[in-house]
Amino acid sequence: MASKPRIKVPKSASAGEVITIKTLISHEMESGQRKDKDGNPIPRQIINKFTCTFEGQMVFECDLDPAISANPYFEFNAKVPASGTFKFTWLDDDGTVYEAEAPIEVK
């Protein structure tokens, strides 16, 4: 239901620098509150959790509720202590897990 997540992380930074990370995943985020043209409820199907880790340590985490809009977009800051890889995970109601990674080099 979702397409490949898009992420934007700088390719390099200085040690201890605070960087801005942007992510977007295309997803309908069906809330379960709407009905189809025949009056039947459309089942809920949303991304219900998002996490970002850096070398295994949690950077950002949030739970999503049906009120969030389609195509959830997140922008947050992170302090980069050393070179490594950010790992992003989105969990869908249907059990699907979407993952993406972005390396960053500290100079």
Side-chain angles (χ1 to χ4, degrees):
M1 185 166 208
S3 66
K4 183 180 175 185
R6 291 183 273 169
I7 53 176
K8 191 176 255 186
V9 175
K11 295 196 182 306
S12 63
S14 303
E17 182 178 346
V18 176
I19 62 166
T20 299
I21 297 171
K22 299 175 183 177
T23 71
L24 184 141
I25 187 166
S26 297
H27 193 283
E28 293 181 14
M29 300 295 281
E30 184 57 55
S31 69
Q33 303 295 315
R34 297 184 319 133
K35 294 182 179 180
D36 64 15
K37 64 181 178 184
D38 297 326
N40 301 314
I42 299 172
R44 171 187 146 152
Q45 185 166 6
I46 65 169
I47 300 281
N48 58 51
K49 188 168 194 76
F50 170 73
T51 60
C52 172
T53 60
F54 181 74
E55 295 297 315
Q57 293 196 345
M58 187 63 64
V59 174
F60 181 81
E61 174 182 36
C62 68
D63 294 324
L64 305 175
D65 294 318
I68 195 163
S69 67
N71 308 322
Y73 169 81
F74 297 103
E75 180 176 330
F76 53 95
N77 296 321
K79 195 173 194 177
V80 184
S83 295
T85 302
F86 285 96
K87 183 175 180 182
F88 306 90
T89 306
W90 295 260
L91 302 176
D92 198 318
D93 276 347
D94 67 4
T96 305
V97 177
Y98 304 96
E99 295 180 320
E101 292 184 351
I104 188 166
E105 180 180 330
V106 170
K107 296 181 178 180

